[in-house]
Amino acid sequence: MSLVFGAALSDAHAADPKSPPTPDYQRARYSALHFKPAISKATDADCLACHAEVLKPSVRETSPAGVRAADAKAWYQRTSTYSGTQDTFHRRHLTSDFAKSVMALSCTTCHEGHDPRDEHPLSSVTAQRDGGFRLRKSVVPETTCLKCHGQMNTAVMGLPGPWRETREMFQNDCLTCHAAIRTTRHQVSYLKPDAIEAAGKGNGDVCYGCHGGRAWYRITYPYPRHAWPGMAEETPDWAKGRPTQSEARFQIGTTAQGQEK
Ligand code: HEC
Ligand code: HEC
Ligand code: HEC
Ligand code: HEC
Ligand code: HEC
């Protein structure tokens, strides 16, 4: 019903997302841009035409109880890659110096469309059945956040312990191993692969930041396992069933580079 409703309400803006957004709240809420397929083609500017507030600086300098934001930094805000004052979630992923240097996230990397009517799957016959979104969540965490905020899979790396205890053995440099192992990496539209390698050279904090250092989860992300030059023929048991390519919607067409060598 909601999808039909969305289509029925499609107005000039929905038909031509470049036209100025309608001021009508309900029409805006059911903008075709919130749904597939239009959302897959939306640019950040399309979304920001209505949601400009999302990128506005809006962190209080002082909490209502009087704690200054500048004096209340969490552990993950004391890492060597963190710069600037406290900032919002959206700005930390889209506009912070570090985000801009290693990532190229856009609204639709995380937002794949949601149902403004009931916000939970399987609530009716026509509700999305493919698990495209989660209960009251407009973003699917396990295929989005987990990629950069899961645990480091030290078991498959043969590390003798967690990175924070063993990193000294490797001069805090992931490239002691990863200069030759799993070298076909980060070939996705939302990352800047060359910038990541340059920043990560000699500074494991850069790599660790997305691979365990800011782990909001107790689980690891099952990364695709791209073939790399010099890789052993046999697939280890833990890697059986892993995809060998990045998610299709993010591929930038250079994934075959390492495989051709
Ligand atoms: C024509 C104006 C308009 C455009 C364009 C638009 N939105 Fe919205 N969006 C709205 C309105 C209105 C709401 C409802 C806000 C509310 O209820 O607080 C909304 C709600 C949302 C929500 C919150 C959903 C919820 O139920 O909590 C998200 C997330 C969102 N939009 C993302 C996007 C993204 C991503 C794009 C671009 C692909 C986009 N919007 C484009 C007007 C728009
Ligand atoms: C790193 C992933 C990510 C990116 C990139 C992202 N968002 Fe969000 N956004 C989220 C999450 C997570 C929420 C909270 C959703 C929930 O509670 O279901 C959210 C919430 C929102 C909301 C709801 C209102 C609010 O502030 O809580 C809007 C509107 C929104 N995003 C728009 C945008 C727009 C526009 C862009 C691009 C400029 C964007 N988002 C980029 C992950 C992202
Ligand atoms: C492509 C990698 C990537 C994805 C996907 C991603 N993050 Fe992040 N996240 C980062 C990086 C990098 C930082 C550090 C940004 C900085 O230091 O400025 C960060 C920082 C954070 C922070 C700390 C913000 C602060 O105040 O310091 C939170 C919370 C967070 N992410 C939650 C999420 C959630 C929730 C999602 C999923 C909706 C998500 N992230 C998706 C890479 C990612
Ligand atoms: C002692 C060598 C070594 C060090 C040091 C090391 N790794 Fe690994 N890493 C490996 C090996 C071996 C694999 C698995 C290779 C394979 O797929 O067969 C691996 C796999 C990975 C994977 C993919 C995991 C998966 O589940 O597919 C990521 C991501 C990764 N390493 C990141 C890092 C980061 C980030 C660092 C530094 C913080 C690091 N590694 C340090 C040896 C190492
Ligand atoms: C901004 C976040 C970010 C940073 C920084 C980062 N990674 Fe990653 N890494 C990712 C994401 C996201 C993926 C999964 C991409 C995909 O789906 O193909 C990934 C995948 C990998 C993989 C799996 C490769 C494969 O077979 O596809 C390895 C190994 C890896 N990273 C190592 C590293 C190393 C080493 C560094 C530092 C030089 C590093 N990462 C820095 C986010 C990051």
Side-chain angles (χ1 to χ4, degrees):
M1 158 74 183
S2 58
L3 290 173
V4 176
F5 190 39
L9 274 179
S10 63
D11 50 14
H13 179 68
D16 173 12
K18 307 280 176 211
S19 71
T22 159
D24 179 298
Y25 175 79
Q26 284 303 342
R27 278 167 198 267
R29 206 166 162 235
Y30 282 89
S31 162
L33 283 175
H34 286 140
F35 302 88
K36 283 178 180 148
I39 193 165
S40 318
K41 298 207 175 65
T43 63
D44 285 10
D46 291 338
C47 309
L48 290 168
C50 295
H51 291 292
E53 81 289 350
V54 159
L55 288 186
K56 293 231 171 86
S58 52
V59 173
R60 286 166 174 272
E61 267 181 44
T62 310
S63 78
V67 180
R68 280 168 33 84
D71 302 336
K73 293 231 167 122
W75 59 267
Y76 57 83
Q77 297 168 329
R78 296 164 197 251
T79 58
S80 69
T81 58
Y82 193 91
S83 65
T85 51
Q86 296 219 32
D87 217 335
T88 66
F89 164 87
H90 280 102
R91 287 170 56 83
R92 277 282 158 202
H93 289 88
L94 291 158
T95 65
S96 79
D97 288 345
F98 187 63
K100 282 195 295 191
S101 69
V102 294
M103 308 194 287
L105 293 169
S106 59
C107 311
T108 55
T109 311
C110 300
H111 293 284
E112 297 177 79
H114 59 273
D115 186 338
R117 190 173 62 95
D118 49 18
E119 298 200 35
H120 69 95
L122 299 173
S123 64
S124 73
V125 214
T126 52
Q128 248 175 308
R129 294 187 158 276
D130 60 359
F133 66 100
R134 294 294 180 273
L135 189 65
R136 293 203 173 278
K137 290 274 174 278
S138 61
V139 169
V140 185
E142 54 272 56
T143 55
T144 315
C145 325
L146 186 59
K147 284 194 179 97
C148 301
H149 295 296
Q151 297 289 336
M152 182 166 166
N153 196 343
T154 45
V156 307
M157 300 190 209
L159 290 173
W163 185 244
R164 56 178 190 282
E165 287 164 21
T166 55
R167 60 185 158 201
E168 296 312 323
M169 284 182 218
F170 305 97
Q171 294 82 46
N172 193 26
D173 190 350
C174 312
L175 299 182
T176 44
C177 297
H178 284 286
I181 297 172
R182 298 283 286 269
T183 47
T184 307
R185 53 182 176 244
H186 306 138
Q187 303 298 314
V188 285
S189 54
Y190 60 88
L191 293 178
K192 297 184 177 164
D194 298 341
I196 289 178
E197 293 306 317
K201 208 171 190 174
N203 185 1
D205 295 356
V206 169
C207 312
Y208 187 51
C210 288
H211 291 293
R214 265 182 292 261
W216 318 135
Y217 298 87
R218 299 179 69 177
I219 51 172
T220 58
Y221 180 77
Y223 291 102
R225 190 166 179 266
H226 289 89
W228 71 94
M231 157 190 196
E233 293 276 314
E234 209 183 316
T235 307
D237 281 347
W238 64 264
K240 288 189 175 129
R242 283 288 185 90
T244 55
Q245 299 279 314
S246 308
E247 254 173 89
R249 73 186 182 108
F250 298 127
Q251 287 177 16
I252 52 176
T254 52
T255 34
Q257 268 175 2
Q259 285 147 351
E260 274 160 16
K261 279 182 208 148

